[in-house]
Amino acid sequence: TGLDEDGSYNLVDALWGKIGEFAKDSTKQLADNITSNQRKPTMSEVDGLTGADRASRTKVEKAPSNSKPEVSKMDPYEKRIFELEGYSEEAYLDDKGVKTIGVGQTGKFADMPYPEVVEHFKGVVDKTIDNFDSLPEELKVELVQVAYRGDMKSSDDWVKLVNKGKFKEAAVELLRHEEYLERKSKGDDGVVKRLEDLSRVLSSQED
């Protein structure tokens, strides 16, 4: 209170008393603030947030869609293309200057999960090659890996031959591919191998 035993007022004791009270109140306020800041949001509070705020508030981090796929979970199509394309976590320019990431993914496919990209190209082949589902599995896989690289159009002569059931002729026609001939003249790179693999499987089919 600041009063001495004789009832007189002691200014120094009064000041120290006020300082003590202030320190006690400040400590309590600081503790309350810390507790408040560490409190987890209730479900009703989270539901009231926008999508972006909700992700930030609850610390939900979505993995990149083109994160490295697990080989053990791949189907034969995914595994074959993965073996041929490899995987890159970071974007790079391929030998044609095209920005590429993931499992050889470019353009609109760069941000798509790898299995969805493969499924897309399986659909492309199914629409391009007659009776695709009835073909041998090995041939189906090779057709999809070539389509994945962008080497299949319904207007291609080799595709027309496949649709006529002339597999051996198609095998020869495929290797008249302009890019194949250019690359083959320089050596046996990955693209050359991919086209030759399909050609080999085509030539082994019965017309």
Side-chain angles (χ1 to χ4, degrees), residues 135-136 138-139 165 167-168 200-207:
L135 296 175
E138 183 183 20
L139 177 54
F167 298 110
K168 289 179 172 54
R200 172 184 54 77
V201 176
L202 283 169
S203 65
S204 69
Q205 305 302 308
E206 293 294 333
D207 289 343

Side-chain angles (χ1 to χ4, degrees), residues 64-67 101-103 105-121 148:
S65 59
N66 53 14
S67 56
I101 196 169
V103 187
Q105 294 161 242
T106 62
K108 67 179 183 180
F109 303 110
D111 294 324
M112 291 173 60
Y114 173 59
E116 289 184 16
V117 180
V118 175
E119 197 63 32
H120 167 84
F121 283 100
Y148 190 95

Side-chain angles (χ1 to χ4, degrees), residues 115-207:
E116 289 184 16
V117 180
V118 175
E119 197 63 32
H120 167 84
F121 283 100
K122 285 168 67 176
V124 169
V125 179
D126 187 42
K127 292 178 181 179
T128 307
I129 302 297
D130 296 342
N131 302 314
F132 174 67
D133 286 338
S134 65
L135 296 175
E137 184 76 1
E138 183 183 20
L139 177 54
K140 289 163 66 176
V141 169
E142 293 303 320
L143 287 168
V144 173
Q145 67 91 352
V146 164
Y148 190 95
R149 210 193 81 82
D151 291 317
M152 181 185 291
K153 299 182 181 66
S154 58
S155 59
D156 291 340
D157 289 337
W158 73 270
V159 171
K160 293 177 182 178
L161 288 167
V162 169
N163 285 335
K164 291 178 181 178
K166 298 181 178 181
F167 298 110
K168 289 179 172 54
E169 290 183 43
V172 174
E173 184 62 36
L174 174 65
L175 298 187
R176 289 178 180 158
H177 189 292
E178 183 177 344
E179 184 180 2
Y180 168 80
L181 294 173
E182 180 182 348
R183 288 176 176 272
K184 185 67 174 178
S185 67
K186 300 175 183 178
D188 293 334
D189 63 12
V191 175
V192 168
K193 182 181 183 301
R194 291 174 74 159
L195 293 171
E196 288 181 348
D197 283 348
L198 173 56
S199 178
R200 172 184 54 77
V201 176
L202 283 169
S203 65
S204 69
Q205 305 302 308
E206 293 294 333
D207 289 343

Side-chain angles (χ1 to χ4, degrees), residues 33-53:
N33 287 341
I34 292 173
T35 302
S36 175
N37 289 336
Q38 289 181 339
R39 181 180 62 81
K40 294 182 179 180
T42 64
M43 289 305 297
S44 60
E45 288 174 329
V46 172
D47 289 341
L49 298 172
T50 64
D53 288 340

